[in-house]
Amino acid sequence: MPAMTAVDAGARAGAGVPAEAVGPLVRGVGVLRRLAEAGGTLSPSALERATGLARSTVDRITATLARMGYVRLDGRDVVLTPGVLELGNAYLAALRLPALLGARADALADELDESVSLAVADRDGIRFIHQATRRRALSVSFRIGDLLPAERTAPGALFATEWTERDWARWRARRAEDPRDTAFPAVPPRPEPAHGTADAADAVHTLDTVDTVDADFTDRVRAARRDGWALDDQLIEPGLVAVSAPVRDPRTGRVACVASVVSHTSRHPAADLPATLLSRLRTAVAAMEADLRTAPPPEPGPAPAGLATWTTASKQELGRDFVESLARGLTVLTAFGEGRPALSLTDVARATGLPRATARRALLTHEYLGLVAAAPHEDRAFTLTPRVLDLGFPPLSRTTLPRLAEPHLRALADRVREPAALAVLTADGTEIQYTAGAGTSGVLTVRIPVGARLPAAATSLGRVLLADTGAPASPGLAEIRTRGYALVDEELESGLRSVAVPVRDRTGRAVAAVNVATHAARRSLEDCVRHLLPALRATADDIQRDLHRASRFTRVPTT
């Protein structure tokens, strides 16, 4: 069994499992957490060991998650898919801070040429909700959703200025239980005591270390309260430094999130950060607070529809391999979102179509797991917590378009038995560059390696992209734009035919294209349009759906 995570520890603190908790939902959430901790991929056997569940239970849970589009079964592995991002996206949309403040953080990162992050409090830790990173050989690798212990960060000291005695007691209990921070996989664990010492000496050393950390953190919290900013001088690992300032909620005056500029000592010694970076950070924070004051109330987006009907139909189709209580419990999280940050039991039942009793048990289970919080009054309103980001968000928040496309290209190539590829237009618009592909086992097949470049005007991939770059320069490109695909017949090479369609981002702009290539002897032009084009369009839709999920709150590079 792995070390108990901080989330697990929080869920198990205090009272035991509520009598009305949904057991399959508890186990399914555990599977998603273990997958996220492992980077998004584990074999069923590894999941069995990591969760302590029986293999049959793991198989039923993963089959259900696959049906929901949250994982895919790839050979012997269970792999998180971008579909699971809808859970974290629901939290981030309800929070609104990434949408309102993300552009300010990005602009500050561009101005300083340093990484900038936004973080929120998560009990006695901090969790990232936005990252604007620099693409360097030596760069910050934290991801959206990563959880860090408060005492090893600058934002943690700022959040702790508002802690109650209960918060401090919970923090000290966690520190005593896990002095090496093994429950926080995003940070290196603290060093172990020196080998060869007696058990009693080890215990004294551990207590001394805990006491030293406690004293240091309380001193830094005191300084943060006095100064209004905080410094991270290599608290996480050698070389990593940061300066942070709080962004306050204009309604309450409390810290809504913390903005940080992150660098390393070869660029900025920690002692120089207040003089070199703090002033510009504070200017950006003031603009963020102004944005919060003037932001109009959110317009509620459409609530999910037909979820209860879908889960019932899936249960009827798959039988015992589909765990309906798990699926229904997870759909409850998607009832929240932009304009729907706090929902009553009645609201959740109405949004999901679930019976009130079912929705209530799911909410109680999520409250136990730390995924939702309830207001302390009789007609309780529920809100999502940052811990929803534990459910697969971190390993997928740094994905790329080629990585999103690869499984879909493989499925397409297997379906039509022809090679498929993804390509982007180069900066000057004269060439395309292949960024992903899937081949076939035929003797006569098209093999163009990833990274290869070809003239854009002579390829179906290039033409469908050129047709989308403003006013087309020729009637031929105008026709391609109108019909939505490009068909090239033996222009690049004798015998080579290909058909391509665009892949569009959330704004509708064509950022890449996918194609299927074939030999003229195998398929006529009519066959390419009648049989290859529908499958190709369905694949482009699948890639676009994943791209839109993954790019809602993160930047997805096209190469």
Side-chain angles (χ1 to χ4, degrees), residues 303-312 327-336 340 343-360 362-363 366:
L307 296 176
T309 303
W310 178 86
T311 57
T312 300
R328 289 189 163 192
L330 290 175
T331 63
V332 162
L333 299 177
T334 66
F336 298 83
R340 304 189 307 277
L343 299 176
S344 67
L345 171 58
T346 300
D347 294 331
V348 171
R350 183 183 301 117
T352 59
L354 296 173
R356 280 176 56 89
T358 301
R360 178 176 176 275
L363 287 167
H366 288 313

Side-chain angles (χ1 to χ4, degrees), residues 59-378:
D59 289 343
R60 293 182 66 216
I61 288 173
T62 54
T64 302
L65 296 175
R67 178 71 170 194
M68 300 184 76
Y70 292 172
V71 305
R72 72 172 185 272
L73 307 180
D74 191 352
R76 297 183 177 181
D77 288 330
V78 180
V79 183
L80 289 173
T81 70
V84 78
L85 291 174
E86 72 176 3
L87 302 176
N89 283 343
Y91 163 73
L92 294 172
L95 183 67
R96 295 192 77 200
L97 293 178
L100 293 175
L101 309 182
R104 296 283 187 189
D106 295 343
L108 181 61
D110 290 339
E111 176 190 349
L112 300 178
D113 194 26
E114 299 288 355
S115 294
V116 173
S117 66
L118 300 176
V120 294
D122 189 347
R123 292 171 70 95
D124 60 353
I126 68 128
R127 199 178 291 269
F128 294 110
I129 58 168
H130 185 82
Q131 288 280 358
T133 58
R134 303 293 87 186
R135 300 187 76 173
R136 299 193 184 99
L138 186 62
S139 62
V140 179
S141 61
F142 291 125
R143 306 160 302 182
I144 293 176
D146 274 338
L147 177 68
L148 277 62
E151 69 276 8
R152 294 180 68 176
T153 69
L158 290 162
F159 286 121
T161 62
E162 298 179 342
W163 281 3
T164 64
E165 285 301 320
R166 181 180 179 185
D167 295 327
W168 281 103
R170 180 172 55 222
W171 174 74
R172 291 190 178 95
R174 189 262 296 166
R175 289 284 305 122
E177 181 181 347
D178 183 23
R180 296 193 61 230
D181 297 333
T182 57
F184 296 86
V187 297
R190 295 182 185 274
E192 292 185 3
H195 293 293
T197 57
D199 290 342
D202 282 352
V204 171
H205 178 92
T206 298
L207 289 173
D208 288 345
T209 301
V210 170
D211 289 343
T212 300
V213 170
D214 287 5
D216 175 71
F217 185 51
T218 52
D219 287 345
R220 289 193 294 110
V221 172
R222 192 176 299 113
R225 184 180 293 111
R226 179 192 66 228
D227 301 332
W229 56 272
L231 191 67
D232 173 353
D233 186 1
Q234 306 178 78
L235 296 169
I236 296 171
E237 63 178 54
L240 184 65
V241 295
V243 61
S244 301
V247 180
R248 297 192 177 276
D249 186 326
R251 298 167 302 165
T252 65
R254 294 178 62 84
V255 180
C257 67
V258 170
S260 302
V261 180
V262 188
S263 188
H264 49 83
T265 51
S266 59
R267 290 176 59 83
H268 293 281
D272 293 348
L273 292 182
T276 57
L277 301 179
L278 181 59
S279 175
R280 283 177 285 182
L281 172 61
R282 280 179 154 168
T283 299
V285 163
M288 291 179 185
E289 291 177 340
D291 289 342
L292 293 181
R293 282 194 301 272
T294 59
E299 291 290 335
L307 296 176
T309 303
W310 178 86
T311 57
T312 300
S314 297
K315 180 64 174 180
Q316 291 173 347
E317 180 180 343
L318 299 181
R320 72 179 307 275
D321 288 336
F322 185 78
V323 186
E324 189 173 16
S325 58
L326 166 59
R328 289 189 163 192
L330 290 175
T331 63
V332 162
L333 299 177
T334 66
F336 298 83
E338 187 173 1
R340 304 189 307 277
L343 299 176
S344 67
L345 171 58
T346 300
D347 294 331
V348 171
R350 183 183 301 117
T352 59
L354 296 173
R356 280 176 56 89
T358 301
R360 178 176 176 275
R361 290 191 65 200
L363 287 167
L364 288 174
T365 305
H366 288 313
E367 187 177 17
Y368 159 71
L369 293 170
L371 300 174
V372 304
H377 51 76
E378 187 173 341

